[in-house]
Amino acid sequence: MSMSDMRARRGGKKAFLFNMIIVGQAGLGKSTFINTLTNHPTIPKRQCDDPAQCTLEKTVDIQAYTVETDEDGMKMQLTVVDTPGFGENIDSSTHFNEILSYIEHQYDDVLAEESKIKRNPKFQDSRIHVLLYFIPPTGHALREIDIELMKRLCGRVNILPCIAKADTLTPKELAAFKMRIMEDIAVNEIQVFDFPCDENEDDDETMQENLELRSLLPFAVVGSDDTLLVNGRTLRARQYPWGIVEVENMKHCDVAQLRSVLLSTHVQELKELTHDVLYEAYRSEKLSQLEG
Ligand code: GDP
Ligand code: MG
């Protein structure tokens, strides 16, 4: 644990910082998920007269939003970076480059700060600790474009694969799709954060927890900007003619587990991996380029 993290844990002045980015095709519910995760209209709805048209503002730029979170007593300052997502009209390779350079740019800032004789005490570390990759709920296989993008990103950032709009698949389809995605990830040698266990370091409980989380991969995500009254409780949910999908219900999707991973249980590990492995690799590449 770094000094600043320790201070944050002890309730010192400096907040515990955690930074994530959400990537994937346009229209998969990335912005909606940010509001779901933060439980707050972090990304506001478009102003309009017709309520049916009042959807979230279309994301056009890479943009960072910072909110305070408190999950299981774990207080942090969370920055979520929303991306426009590639689509029919946007050239995907340009989009890939933009995301990669955004991630590398944060490393460059830290590298520059580390090399200074006099460091800036107010410097904010904006390195991305985890990337949520949103996969469209096709129910088939991982698409070429998603394989390519994840392959390019995985050496630079911890990736957590997620199935977007998981409410559009039946439980059977979802289970089969999850299995197929993990096969495609393995075959294509895409490195994702798979809740590694260390027999020498982790206790039984942690190992068990990590194995369970690994078996959920890729996380089935459902997001919503609306709350509904369900059995007298106000819940974030999606209403359909045939029933209600509750975002936090573990029988409906994996958002409750994902929330706990992202806002509490795995933040420390994701930060350490980012600093010790991913940033370190970037740093030595950069420095050897300079020497060579
Ligand atoms: P983005 O382009 O990835 O940021 O997608 P948005 O968050 O703007 O959402 C696009 C559309 O998908 C909106 O109409 C949302 O209401 C809808 N949407 C968002 N999340 C979900 C979900 O989990 N399930 C379903 N069925 N629709 C969703
Ligand atoms: Mg968006």
Side-chain angles (χ1 to χ4, degrees), residues 16-27:
F16 184 93
L17 306 182
F18 190 72
N19 308 320
M20 71 176 83
I21 193 167
I22 311 199
V23 171
Q25 187 181 300

Side-chain angles (χ1 to χ4, degrees), residues 25-33 55-57 59 82 84 165-168 221-224 238 240:
Q25 187 181 300
L28 286 180
K30 296 183 295 299
S31 300
T32 307
F33 181 69
T55 51
L56 295 184
E57 201 81 54
T59 319
D82 193 15
K165 301 186 178 181
D167 55 319
T168 60
V221 166
V222 176
S224 174
R238 299 188 74 84
Y240 291 101

Side-chain angles (χ1 to χ4, degrees), residues 129-144:
H129 305 117
V130 70
L131 178 149
L132 300 189
Y133 194 91
F134 273 41
I135 298 164
T138 61
H140 304 297
L142 212 47
R143 302 174 312 169
E144 211 41 64

Side-chain angles (χ1 to χ4, degrees), residues 33-258:
F33 181 69
I34 292 176
N35 290 351
T36 304
L37 183 71
T38 56
N39 232 326
H40 184 78
T42 305
I43 300 172
K45 286 193 179 177
R46 196 172 353 160
Q47 294 295 321
C48 53
D49 299 329
D50 177 5
Q53 298 298 314
C54 279
T55 51
L56 295 184
E57 201 81 54
K58 204 167 176 192
T59 319
V60 285
D61 294 311
I62 294 182
Q63 201 167 349
Y65 300 87
T66 299
V67 292
E68 309 282 327
T69 61
D70 183 352
E71 183 79 9
D72 315 327
M74 171 82 190
K75 283 194 173 60
M76 28 176 231
Q77 183 181 316
L78 171 74
T79 298
V80 194
V81 181
D82 193 15
T83 63
F86 46 91
E88 298 112 69
N89 301 323
I90 308 167
D91 172 27
S92 57
S93 68
T94 312
H95 183 70
F96 292 7
N97 289 335
E98 270 175 25
I99 289 173
L100 195 61
S101 35
Y102 184 90
I103 291 167
E104 291 182 346
H105 187 83
Q106 318 311 316
Y107 287 154
D108 289 333
D109 283 351
V110 174
L111 198 52
E113 182 60 27
E114 278 180 351
S115 343
K116 277 189 194 161
I117 294 175
K118 205 170 155 72
R119 302 228 183 138
N120 173 8
K122 294 212 178 87
F123 178 78
Q124 279 235 356
D125 187 350
S126 51
R127 284 174 295 185
I128 300 294
H129 305 117
V130 70
L131 178 149
L132 300 189
Y133 194 91
F134 273 41
I135 298 164
T138 61
H140 304 297
L142 212 47
R143 302 174 312 169
E144 211 41 64
I145 191 164
D146 296 313
I147 292 173
E148 203 185 310
L149 184 47
M150 277 196 268
K151 257 188 123 134
R152 285 193 54 183
L153 294 168
C154 71
R156 288 286 185 248
V157 65
N158 293 307
I159 297 184
L160 265 184
C162 300
I163 298 175
K165 301 186 178 181
D167 55 319
T168 60
L169 298 168
T170 67
K172 221 173 149 185
E173 285 168 339
L174 185 64
F177 191 38
K178 279 189 173 193
M179 210 156 31
R180 178 60 201 259
I181 290 172
M182 292 320 279
E183 279 167 22
D184 289 346
I185 281 177
V187 167
N188 290 285
E189 292 170 344
I190 299 166
Q191 208 141 35
V192 298
F193 180 74
D194 63 355
F195 302 92
C197 304
D198 184 343
E199 276 177 43
N200 302 317
E201 246 180 55
D202 296 325
D203 53 52
D204 288 349
E205 203 187 327
T206 309
M207 295 242 289
Q208 190 56 35
E209 202 180 80
N210 275 351
L211 286 174
E212 275 168 31
L213 288 166
R214 188 187 295 173
S215 73
L216 286 179
L217 283 173
F219 290 105
V221 166
V222 176
S224 174
D225 268 303
D226 300 315
T227 52
L228 296 170
L229 200 61
V230 185
N231 300 329
R233 292 169 62 213
T234 309
L235 304 174
R236 202 172 274 270
R238 299 188 74 84
Q239 170 106 60
Y240 291 101
W242 41 262
I244 288 169
V245 181
E246 297 163 31
V247 164
E248 298 283 343
N249 188 331
M250 292 188 197
K251 289 201 188 100
H252 296 186
C253 65
D254 307 326
V255 167
Q257 294 96 326
L258 181 58

